[in-house]
Each structure stands twice: as structure tokens, then as C-alpha cells.
Amino acid sequence: MASRRIAKSTFNWKALEERVQPTQKTNYTALRAKSNAYLRAVSANPESPPKLDWEYYKAKISIPGLVENFKKEYEAHKTPYPENKMIAQIEQQIEETKCEIEEFKEQSEERIAEYQKSVAIIKSKVAFDQMTMEDYRAEFPDLAIDPIERPTFWPHNPEEQLDYKSMEQQATTDH
């Protein structure tokens, strides 16, 4: 049962604010303002209902037994707090989300390892500004100009070569 009084927010707003995207800052500010307004409204009311002076009412009301009946019913009345039926679903969602996060982290670590291998390969190669044409042909044989095996005409782009066919020409020869 939720019978304790919350005097101040126990939520870590600073940690949430660090994670909020700049485009969502206005929504974050509105949420925090609503939360603070609700907390102030709850704090404005006393924690428990005020104590009634039953003797004062006995002196003022002349009907015998009426005040005693009210007192007995007032003290017997307990305001029921709603049962929290959603906490099990919320905890299940939290566990599912934690599993998804762990899976994502594992996949990310695998991708990072692959990327680090790619970076290591690139770093092991000669820098482009220090590379000679022979180095370039050794590293990228399919992209380099090969005047012996595949001679080309200047400016060495596909459109200027003798065997070049445009998209339209390729489409007509394929049919």
C-alpha cells in the first residue's frame, strides 16, 4: 500500500536532462514543470486529515448519539489506496529492455571490432599523399591504370574508351 508521504522528488532530473536530445528540450521542460506542479500541489495538503474536536461538536449538537455515530464512522473509515496492478508488467518490460540493450551492446562490440580491423588495415597501408603510382597499383589493382593489360585513353574515364556503351546501347543489345 502506498501510505508513505513523498516530501520531494526522488527522480534524478539531471541524469535525464543529460540524455535528452536538443530537439526534445521543450518537451522535457514541460514534463519537469508538470511534475513539479503536481509535487507542490500534493505537498500543499497535510499528510493526514485534520483531527476533529469531537467535544466541541458534542457541546454544539443537541441530538443525543449523533456525534458519537459520526465519530465511530469517521474513525472506522479508511481510504483505500488503489492496488498497483501494473508494476509486474512494468518490471517485465524493464527486463525485456535490459535484454535488448545487452544484445545491442554485444552487436555493437562486434561491429566495433570489425571497424577497428578495417581501420588497422587502412592505417597499415601507405598514405595516399605518399603513395606512388606503383604503390597504388599494388594496393588497388582493379582501380589502377594498367597500360599493358588494360590500356586506356586519356582522360581514362569509361566514357572515353573504345569499348564504352551507354545505358541505352546496353539496353538495346540485351533485348
Side-chain angles (χ1 to χ4, degrees), residues 28-96:
Y28 164 78
T29 306
L31 173 69
R32 187 164 183 186
K34 280 185 179 181
S35 176
N36 288 339
Y38 176 74
L39 188 64
R40 281 192 303 275
V42 169
S43 298
N45 296 321
E47 185 172 344
S48 58
K51 301 294 179 196
L52 298 177
D53 184 9
W54 295 106
E55 296 304 320
Y56 171 79
Y57 290 112
K58 279 184 187 177
K60 295 291 184 184
I61 297 175
S62 61
I63 302 172
L66 183 63
V67 175
E68 288 80 14
N69 284 342
F70 278 143
K71 180 179 178 182
K72 183 175 75 173
E73 289 180 22
Y74 181 79
E75 290 173 351
H77 178 72
K78 298 292 181 203
T79 303
Y81 286 96
E83 184 180 337
N84 190 349
K85 297 177 183 178
M86 300 301 290
I87 193 71
Q89 291 176 345
I90 292 171
E91 288 175 354
Q92 180 184 5
Q93 287 178 349
I94 289 171
E95 290 304 315
E96 290 173 0

Side-chain angles (χ1 to χ4, degrees), residues 90-169:
I90 292 171
E91 288 175 354
Q92 180 184 5
Q93 287 178 349
I94 289 171
E95 290 304 315
E96 290 173 0
T97 304
K98 283 181 181 178
C99 292
E100 290 173 7
I101 289 170
E102 288 303 317
E103 184 177 320
F104 178 77
K105 286 167 81 175
E106 290 172 7
Q107 292 172 352
S108 295
E109 291 297 327
E110 291 172 4
R111 284 193 306 272
I112 288 170
E114 290 175 20
Y115 297 151
Q116 286 175 339
K117 288 179 188 175
S118 299
V119 167
I121 291 170
I122 291 171
K123 283 185 176 182
S124 70
K125 296 185 184 286
V126 178
F128 280 112
D129 60 347
Q130 298 173 357
M131 193 178 275
T132 64
M133 290 300 286
E134 290 80 14
D135 292 335
Y136 183 81
R137 189 160 50 138
E139 290 292 331
F140 308 102
D142 55 327
L143 299 175
I145 297 173
D146 186 1
I148 297 169
E149 299 294 325
R150 294 179 315 211
T152 59
F153 295 103
W154 185 88
H156 306 288
N157 55 8
E159 293 84 11
E160 301 299 327
Q161 306 314 308
L162 294 175
D163 60 349
Y164 175 74
K165 291 184 180 180
S166 67
M167 297 289 246
E168 295 87 20
Q169 290 171 338

